[in-house]
Amino acid sequence: KTEIAIRAAFKAVADSKQVAILVPTTILSLQHFRSFNERLKEFPCKVDYLNRFKSTKKVKETLERLAKGEIDILIGTHKLAGKSVKFKDLGLLIVDEEQKFGVGVKDKLKTMKENVDSLTLTATPIPRTLQFSLMGARDLSVINTPPPNRQPIDTVIQVFNEESIRDAISYEMQRGGQAYFVNNRVQNIKEVAGMIQRLVPDAKVAIIHGQMEGQKMEATLMDYVNGLYDVLVATSIIESGIDVPNANTMIINNANNFGLSDLHQMRGRIGRSNKKAFCYMITPPRHMLSDDATKRLNAIEQHSELGSGFSIAMKDLDIRGAGDLLGANQSGYINDIGFATYQKILNETINELKNNEFKELFKDEKNDKFYQVEDFQIETDLELLIPDTYVNNIAERLSLYQDLEQIKTPKELNKYASSLKDRFGDVPKQTRELLKTIELKWLAKAIGLHKIVLKQEKMICYFPPGNQSVYFESESFTNVLMYIQTNPKNCKLSERNGKLRLIYSSINSIEEALENIQKIKIAKPS
């Protein structure tokens, strides 16, 4: 991920733009500062950083140079979102470990300048961000290929046991490695370090946490990186950015109190070389855990293979819900009502706002667009399927149905039909009718229909529910009325339970239904 960030930043600088890199911790800001400086030292590219370790005088100097355009890449913690930070010409915003930031901070950075490109990097995106990507509102790229010689991390969930802790640390030291012990309470971190020293007297133990003085923390961390300590007792501050290939055992105390992405990120600190790594998660007995904590621990235990971050993020979306896409909540709601219902409500609300409160903003759009219902339905008693006698492999049939659902244009539909014939022979009648339903759906949605029921040789077309006055004043509905007036024998309008319906009789196939709907589409009002 860091490699991608460096290349994206260099491309922006080469185009005479400045780059802001937002990171969650002071440790990661220093590590990135070193990495970027090392990689770009041969180029005329000035890299600087902002974090709490810098003196007020140096921060002021950095901000002055930034405003003049003398700094090309600025790496920083939340300080980057401060009012005093002014860029001369910001072109790219990179958010590393995106799951660590609230919606407010990210949106505030975007308001620094209009039209800023953004690149977010994370192994486990928050549910809200993942939902945006699944909806198509954001581009999503997944890196699936691990570095060479990497091995999956063995993950074990167990209750607190001093002998297990002693054996795990001793084994790591015997093979010349180092270990982490994560204890997320500063109040008792010294007691934990003392316990480890008692269990493994030969171990050199160091402590770091977020309340330490900056220079001391950096010095301790660099000593650990250089192999001067065997065990690092730390809070979750180590979950971002620390790269110690020689550290391949991690013990996480009270793992049930961490979120799913936190556990995955911390586990990612080990197994960064060709050695086998071990992660021990200490929790209370299973019967004392909440349902959500149990689900999180089961997910992290199951998904221990390389490149499993995306699977963990999907599980997190399932457990916590997608949040408020138009607000600041990062999780919730969706788990109560389900994904499909959530999407339906969201689309309906957007359409309603377009027609009422924000009508003036969208007056240039044709009204017809507002009522092309996304979850259009066709109910029928006709046989519409890909028969198992035609495609006998169940997985193959399922794949064909999924491909059919993605088709958006007549050209793609013709290509799909040709592909079926090439692979499996002449297309049977049931499948031809199934393909016709796709065309029927397109036409019906273009007219503004909400649903079609085709049963017992009768076709009932439903118009948008509720008081959709804008639709009933549209050109599409005028076309429908014109068609009914000129073809009174074919169809009739009927209202039932407040729903307006168009009823056809003697419709025996999808093809006949399609022909009748096409006539409405080409009818023009005088």
Side-chain angles (χ1 to χ4, degrees):
K1 296 189 307 235
T2 307
E3 179 64 25
I4 289 170
I6 291 172
R7 293 180 183 216
F10 180 72
K11 181 72 173 68
V13 172
D15 291 335
S16 304
K17 294 284 185 182
Q18 288 175 301
V19 181
I21 301 174
L22 180 65
V23 297
T25 63
T26 48
I27 292 174
L28 186 53
S29 65
L30 290 169
Q31 185 155 321
H32 274 344
F33 176 64
R34 291 197 183 95
S35 301
F36 275 72
N37 255 340
E38 183 64 29
R39 284 293 305 279
L40 302 175
K41 65 184 178 184
E42 304 293 331
F43 301 96
C45 176
K46 184 64 182 170
V47 184
D48 209 335
Y49 70 95
L50 278 181
N51 62 25
R52 68 185 177 88
F53 292 172
K54 256 194 171 183
S55 66
T56 307
K57 183 183 176 184
K58 287 188 176 179
V59 167
K60 189 177 177 184
E61 285 175 13
T62 300
L63 294 177
E64 285 173 0
R65 294 176 59 220
L66 182 72
K68 292 176 186 174
E70 293 174 11
I71 294 174
D72 299 306
I73 299 173
L74 183 66
I75 301 164
T77 53
H78 287 74
K79 280 180 177 284
L80 275 185
K83 292 179 182 177
S84 57
V85 179
K86 305 286 182 190
F87 288 85
K88 185 181 181 184
D89 189 8
L90 181 63
L92 175 65
L93 166 65
I94 298 174
V95 183
D96 197 11
E97 305 299 353
E98 164 288 326
Q99 79 282 358
K100 285 290 173 190
F101 295 97
V103 178
V105 174
K106 287 178 277 193
D107 287 348
K108 192 174 179 182
L109 281 167
K110 288 177 189 172
T111 59
M112 284 181 175
K113 181 177 178 290
E114 291 180 6
N115 302 323
V116 173
D117 291 332
S118 63
L119 171 66
T120 57
L121 308 169
T122 175
T124 50
I126 58 171
R128 184 177 183 272
T129 303
L130 182 60
Q131 167 73 343
F132 267 131
S133 301
L134 296 174
M135 283 171 62
R138 275 191 184 175
D139 291 332
L140 173 72
S141 297
V142 181
I143 303 173
N144 279 324
T145 310
N149 301 322
R150 284 274 176 100
Q151 297 184 49
I153 300 164
D154 267 8
T155 305
V156 180
I157 296 171
Q158 60 185 41
V159 294
F160 184 87
N161 183 308
E162 288 192 352
E163 288 182 7
S164 298
I165 294 170
R166 181 195 64 207
D167 292 347
I169 295 172
S170 299
Y171 174 75
E172 187 60 52
M173 288 174 61
Q174 283 168 15
R175 62 175 184 168
Q178 295 162 280
Y180 294 106
F181 191 102
V182 178
N183 184 78
N184 211 27
R185 291 188 68 220
V186 177
Q187 292 90 330
N188 68 342
I189 200 164
K190 288 183 179 177
E191 294 170 24
V192 171
M195 177 197 72
I196 292 169
Q197 194 71 74
R198 172 172 58 81
L199 293 174
V200 192
D202 298 342
K204 295 172 186 168
V205 182
I207 298 174
I208 68 163
H209 54 78
Q211 294 177 18
M212 284 175 74
E213 196 269 320
Q215 289 181 339
K216 184 181 178 185
M217 183 201 286
E218 190 180 357
T220 304
L221 194 59
M222 292 315 297
D223 286 345
Y224 181 70
V225 170
N226 293 328
L228 299 182
Y229 294 109
D230 300 307
V231 182
L232 184 66
V233 181
T235 57
S236 59
I237 194 170
I238 58 132
E239 78 176 76
S240 300
I242 296 181
D243 186 9
V244 187
N246 196 42
N248 287 297
T249 290
M250 176 173 282
I251 301 166
I252 303 174
N253 195 21
N254 289 320
N256 53 300
N257 293 336
F258 291 96
L260 200 47
S261 69
D262 289 333
L263 291 172
H264 183 65
Q265 292 284 351
M266 284 190 288
R267 185 173 65 180
R269 296 307 104 209
I270 58 174
R272 301 175 78 88
S273 66
N274 57 0
K275 280 186 178 180
K276 187 69 178 171
F278 301 92
C279 180
Y280 302 92
M281 297 191 180
I282 298 172
T283 69
R286 286 290 175 109
H287 67 272
M288 294 174 64
L289 301 177
S290 67
D291 288 345
D292 278 358
T294 304
K295 286 178 186 175
R296 290 196 299 269
L297 291 168
N298 287 340
I300 204 80
E301 192 173 30
Q302 288 166 13
H303 298 290
S304 61
E305 66 277 4
L306 296 171
S308 58
F310 191 75
S311 303
I312 286 172
M314 289 293 284
K315 191 70 182 172
D316 204 18
L317 175 64
D318 184 41
I319 294 171
R320 294 202 289 157
D324 186 354
L325 300 189
L326 301 177
N329 293 329
Q330 296 188 162
S331 63
Y333 301 136
I334 195 173
N335 51 348
D336 295 327
I337 59 175
F339 182 82
T341 309
Y342 185 85
Q343 293 288 79
K344 181 182 176 185
I345 291 170
L346 184 65
N347 289 331
E348 286 175 359
T349 305
I350 290 170
N351 283 341
E352 192 177 321
L353 290 171
K354 279 184 173 183
N355 281 283
N356 298 317
E357 290 179 48
F358 302 102
K359 189 174 180 179
E360 287 300 309
L361 289 175
F362 296 94
K363 61 186 177 184
D364 295 333
E365 289 193 28
K366 288 180 70 178
N367 290 335
D368 303 46
K369 287 184 181 179
F370 295 173
Y371 296 101
Q372 290 187 10
V373 182
E374 292 300 320
D375 60 334
F376 178 84
Q377 296 175 353
I378 297 178
E379 292 181 12
T380 179
D381 56 5
L382 297 172
E383 202 175 8
L384 307 173
L385 50 85
I386 301 172
D388 54 4
T389 52
Y390 184 57
V391 180
N392 55 20
N393 186 293
I394 295 173
E396 189 65 54
R397 278 206 310 280
L398 182 61
S399 175
L400 289 170
Y401 283 127
Q402 288 172 336
D403 292 344
L404 187 61
E405 188 67 28
Q406 302 303 317
I407 290 173
K408 303 295 180 191
T409 64
K411 186 178 178 182
E412 289 176 7
L413 190 61
N414 290 335
K415 188 177 177 183
Y416 180 87
S418 300
S419 170
L420 282 181
K421 188 173 180 180
D422 286 345
R423 292 174 64 190
F424 307 106
D426 289 335
V427 181
K429 184 184 176 184
Q430 304 101 305
T431 309
R432 289 200 302 272
E433 289 274 275
L434 176 64
L435 300 184
K436 290 285 182 187
T437 59
I438 304 297
E439 293 182 61
L440 181 62
K441 183 195 285 189
W442 292 338
L443 280 171
K445 284 173 71 174
I447 291 167
L449 296 177
H450 175 69
K451 177 181 175 181
I452 288 179
V453 176
L454 185 55
K455 292 180 179 178
Q456 298 174 349
E457 299 184 3
K458 186 185 284 187
M459 179 168 72
I460 305 174
C461 306
Y462 290 84
F463 291 99
N467 183 23
Q468 310 284 25
S469 58
V470 178
Y471 169 72
F472 294 119
E473 293 167 7
S474 69
E475 184 182 337
S476 288
F477 189 64
T478 307
N479 286 350
V480 174
L481 294 178
M482 288 293 296
Y483 175 73
I484 295 168
Q485 288 172 8
T486 53
N487 298 275
K489 292 180 181 178
N490 289 1
C491 57
K492 63 177 181 179
L493 268 182
S494 166
E495 188 172 354
R496 186 176 178 183
N497 298 330
K499 294 180 181 177
L500 193 62
R501 309 178 303 163
L502 181 62
I503 302 174
Y504 289 84
S505 54
S506 302
I507 303 290
N508 297 303
S509 67
I510 293 291
E511 196 161 349
E512 285 182 32
L514 186 59
E515 286 172 8
N516 281 283
I517 296 294
Q518 278 173 331
K519 289 172 184 174
I520 296 178
K521 183 61 181 166
I522 61 175
K524 294 288 178 186
S526 56

